[in-house]
Amino acid sequence: MSHACDTLLGLLLAAALAAPSAAGAFTVVQTMDATGDGAHPLTSPNGVGIDRAGIAYVLGRTSNNVFRVTQVGVVTQLLDASGDGVNAMLAPEELAIGPDDSLYVTASASNALFRRTSAGVATRLLGPTGDGIHPLTEPHGVAVAPDDIVYVGGQLSNNVFAVPPDSAPLQILDATGDGTAPLDLPRGIAVATDLDVWITGRTSDNVFKVKRNGTRSKEVDKNGDGVHLLNSPRAIVADDAGGVFFSGNSSNNVFHVTASGVVTQVLDASGDGVHGLSAPSALALDAGGSLYVTGSLSNNAFRRTPEGVVTQIIDASGDGVHLLADPSGIAIDRLGNAWVVGRASNNAFKVLAVPEPRAFTAAAVSLAALAGLARRRG
């Protein structure tokens, strides 16, 4: 009888521990708000990136600046509207971190791409004249290859440039796309592990791949995976096998395409089955291959494991005190924490990688008491 009671006790205590607390499964901390670093405000944060040391960088689109946020929460403005001191940086849109931790920022109203080295030197790498023949107009997407080649897309000039560290910039894709399918409003850019460059065409509803030898191909179109449609592809992130994940901002879904061109929808408007996903706008991958997605209209973010388990990690309630609205950027640090910026709430949050310890709710305490009674009777 004693063994049976011990078994019952273990089962009941396990149930008690499994009961979620009112605080939810993840610890969420606001790391930055509209006050910026106290001297310089943050408004309309539109992107976030993480360097090798785990330091976060947050850009403010309408405050025309970029901040550094350390793991312990020290906030410092690094770039402002003055850009490199000669060329203005207006309406920064997206950022990327290079292999040497240099920071690359696109500024759509300045028609420019800026670099800030880890030593603090800011330089405009590309301006409105583009490569001297083809202009750069309203740049958004930016990505950096392991060999420091920077790729930037001009949303209104409908083109993509490669900017090598030691030679002149070169246009690698234009409005003609691959010659059979056009490119219109290039938005997201990612560099795959095989160094292929992937680009989303927001209003042409397609995804292109450009190889190092210049070969261009349309990999995905509005038909998505053949069953689920793709509408207004936006964010894109490379996996570790030569493929990419990309979001359909208006079709409310996320697809994966392999290096060989196999397309699969991996997330849709149902989100995790309880919390919906609307207007997926930013993507990130962690070291274990889990995919993170923000929903700018559903005001939340999800994690999808390689096994396909989807979990909402933050919602409009933010950290329970500070709200999250229009999450437009997400990045994962080396500890597995997810950093999320709220464009309409003018703030940034850190979602800790380790779930909170389970709390003993009233029901759980009752179960534990019942287990104790069973032991005494045994």
Side-chain angles (χ1 to χ4, degrees):
M1 188 69 175
S2 175
H3 175 72
C5 290
D6 285 343
T7 301
L8 176 61
L9 176 62
L11 291 172
L12 292 174
L13 285 176
L17 287 168
S21 68
F26 295 90
T27 298
V28 180
V29 180
Q30 180 177 265
T31 57
M32 194 175 179
D33 62 18
T35 63
D37 62 5
H40 311 95
L42 170 71
T43 57
S44 302
N46 204 41
V48 59
I50 310 290
D51 69 14
R52 292 174 298 173
I55 295 173
Y57 299 86
V58 176
L59 63 79
R61 186 181 188 278
T62 55
S63 50
N64 298 309
N65 50 8
V66 179
F67 295 89
R68 177 177 59 205
V69 187
T70 68
Q71 284 286 349
V72 295
V74 178
V75 181
T76 308
Q77 179 179 269
L78 297 182
L79 290 170
D80 61 18
S82 66
D84 61 5
V86 177
N87 305 286
M89 185 189 75
L90 303 176
E93 295 287 353
E94 295 187 28
L95 59 84
I97 311 294
D100 62 352
D101 288 335
S102 288
L103 180 66
Y104 297 87
V105 181
T106 55
S108 63
S110 303
N111 299 315
L113 167 69
F114 290 88
R115 176 180 64 197
R116 182 191 185 275
T117 68
S118 56
V121 178
T123 309
R124 190 184 74 173
L125 292 185
L126 203 62
T129 59
D131 61 6
I133 300 173
H134 313 96
L136 172 69
T137 309
E138 198 174 298
H140 276 255
V142 60
V144 189
D147 55 358
D148 276 333
I149 297 178
V150 185
Y151 297 92
V152 58
Q155 187 169 248
L156 293 188
S157 48
N158 293 314
N159 54 4
V160 178
F161 295 90
V163 186
D166 52 3
S167 59
L170 174 69
Q171 179 178 269
I172 63 169
L173 189 66
D174 63 17
T176 63
D178 65 357
T180 59
L183 169 70
D184 196 23
L185 267 64
R187 187 56 184 264
I189 301 177
V191 181
T193 53
D194 56 8
L195 302 182
D196 290 346
V197 182
W198 295 73
I199 301 103
T200 58
R202 188 170 183 183
T203 53
S204 48
D205 294 326
N206 49 18
V207 180
F208 290 90
K209 179 169 67 174
V210 181
K211 303 185 78 64
R212 277 290 174 99
N213 64 10
T215 302
R216 300 164 295 161
S217 59
K218 180 201 69 179
E219 297 295 316
V220 188
D221 61 19
K222 65 181 180 179
N223 294 312
D225 62 4
V227 177
H228 311 96
L229 300 181
L230 170 67
N231 192 350
S232 189
R234 185 170 175 176
I236 189 166
V237 63
D239 65 19
D240 61 358
V244 294
F245 293 90
F246 58 93
S247 66
N249 191 250
S250 296
S251 47
N252 299 315
N253 50 7
V254 178
F255 293 89
H256 177 252
V257 55
T258 66
S260 59
V262 178
V263 184
T264 308
Q265 178 179 270
V266 297
L267 196 62
D268 62 18
S270 66
D272 62 5
V274 177
H275 312 95
L277 170 67
S278 182
S281 60
L283 301 175
L285 282 168
D286 67 17
S290 288
L291 175 70
Y292 295 76
V293 183
T294 64
S296 61
L297 293 183
S298 48
N299 297 313
N300 55 4
F302 296 89
R303 178 181 65 193
R304 180 189 182 275
T305 68
E307 296 76 29
V309 178
V310 180
T311 308
Q312 179 178 264
I313 63 171
I314 188 172
D315 62 16
S317 66
D319 63 2
V321 177
H322 311 96
L323 302 181
L324 170 67
D326 189 9
S328 56
I330 189 166
I332 313 302
D333 66 25
R334 63 180 183 175
L335 301 177
N337 303 314
W339 294 69
V340 181
V341 295
R343 180 165 49 191
S345 48
N346 296 317
N347 53 5
F349 295 91
K350 181 165 64 174
V351 183
L352 301 188
V354 181
E356 291 179 348
R358 297 295 186 173
F360 284 96
T361 61
V365 171
S366 296
L367 285 171
L370 179 59
L373 178 61
R375 174 179 283 278
R376 286 195 298 271
R377 287 182 175 177

